[in-house]
Amino acid sequence: MTKKISIVEKIHSANDQLAAENKQQLNQADLFSLNIMASPGAGKTSIIEKSLELLKSDYKIAAIDGDVATSIDANRAAEAGATAVQINTGGQCHTDAHMLRNALMELDLDKFDLLLVENVGNLICPASFKLGTDKNVLIASIPEGDDKPYKYPAMYQDVDALIINKIDLLPYVKFDMEYFQKGVQMLNPDLITFPVSCTTGKGIEAWVNWVSEHVKDKKVS
Ligand code: MG
Ligand code: ZN
């Protein structure tokens, strides 16, 4: 009998191996890291900018931005106070552990307390390519609609924190928060959730405090 391993399985196990190596490297540097995922336009870069604004006086922060093309997001992160590295995926629709490893080589990891990785805007494959970061964070946003947990369950199942961005738009957009949260609850009970608005600043402090607590925990552990 021939044992068949699909090409997809091979790709995923190679990625998992590299993710484990990344994790080890980040741990050695006591560097707390987040993999930030979302659909395009949900506000990944805006959340990173807001986080930098409130955390840069306390911590040394690096940002790695994955995009299909351009350095727009890394430039925004650098402008907001991070040491930023841009990954251009050359058309690939997610950031993988190998790309992160290459980006980590550009940074003197011991110098930083916090690493923010902005994944490529996509609600499908980033879920299955772990990077080796401490936590996976998903950003949903009000204009995307309340059905996203039902349509993209894999993204919601595996993450450690959920940001619901653009809550300032709730009065103008049809979005049933109860229906949305019921969907999240089904997939990931007790998922810590931060409703925020990058425009008004509402809820940002709670999010930033959560990040800060983890940065401190990583330092003493
Ligand atoms: Mg962005
Ligand atoms: Zn992909």
Side-chain angles (χ1 to χ4, degrees):
M1 203 183 95
T2 318
K3 188 172 190 294
K4 285 189 196 162
I5 300 174
S6 75
I7 187 89
V8 175
E9 274 176 67
K10 274 188 192 161
I11 290 168
H12 283 146
S13 78
N15 186 75
D16 288 349
Q17 174 61 37
L18 286 173
E21 287 172 29
N22 289 343
K23 183 166 237 122
Q24 200 177 8
Q25 229 190 107
L26 294 165
N27 284 343
Q28 269 163 9
D30 291 328
L31 177 52
F32 179 68
S33 55
L34 296 175
N35 172 22
I36 301 171
M37 298 173 284
S39 64
K44 293 180 295 302
T45 314
S46 299
I47 291 286
I48 288 171
E49 284 173 329
K50 282 281 162 197
S51 306
L52 284 164
E53 203 178 287
L54 294 170
L55 292 169
K56 71 178 174 190
S57 56
D58 294 329
Y59 304 117
K60 287 261 185 311
I61 306 171
I64 295 175
D65 294 84
D67 265 305
V68 169
T70 79
S71 303
I72 295 171
D73 288 356
N75 293 344
R76 280 175 64 185
E79 190 74 19
T83 299
V85 178
Q86 181 75 49
I87 299 174
N88 279 143
T89 64
Q92 188 167 294
C93 48
H94 57 270
T95 302
D96 65 29
H98 185 255
M99 292 174 190
L100 181 64
R101 184 168 78 160
N102 288 342
L104 291 178
M105 284 182 207
E106 304 290 320
L107 294 165
D108 185 353
L109 299 183
D110 286 318
K111 285 199 177 141
F112 297 98
D113 308 300
L114 171 63
L115 169 66
L116 303 170
V117 181
E118 177 176 347
N119 214 305
V120 179
N122 178 353
L123 283 182
I124 304 170
C125 31
S128 50
F129 287 87
K130 293 291 170 276
L131 303 180
T133 51
D134 288 298
K135 304 278 182 200
N136 292 300
V137 178
L138 176 62
I139 304 173
S141 71
I142 300 304
E144 287 169 56
D146 51 23
D147 58 357
K148 291 300 164 289
Y150 303 92
K151 287 189 164 174
Y152 301 95
M155 283 303 292
Y156 284 80
Q157 241 151 24
D158 251 11
V159 290
D160 305 296
L162 172 67
I163 293 175
I164 307 171
N165 191 22
K166 309 191 190 185
I167 52 167
D168 53 299
L169 297 180
L170 274 169
Y172 316 106
V173 177
K174 196 179 157 291
F175 187 99
D176 183 341
M177 188 61 87
E178 216 169 286
Y179 175 70
F180 174 85
Q181 286 186 323
K182 203 176 126 196
V184 175
Q185 182 68 25
M186 261 166 28
L187 298 161
N188 197 335
D190 309 319
L191 177 62
I192 187 159
T193 302
F194 301 97
V196 310
S197 165
C198 288
T199 306
T200 67
K202 198 173 173 192
I204 295 291
E205 211 180 305
W207 154 250
V208 160
N209 287 342
W210 181 85
V211 176
S212 187
E213 284 310 310
H214 281 93
V215 174
K216 286 185 213 151
D217 282 354
K218 184 113 187 188
K219 291 247 158 270
V220 297
S221 66

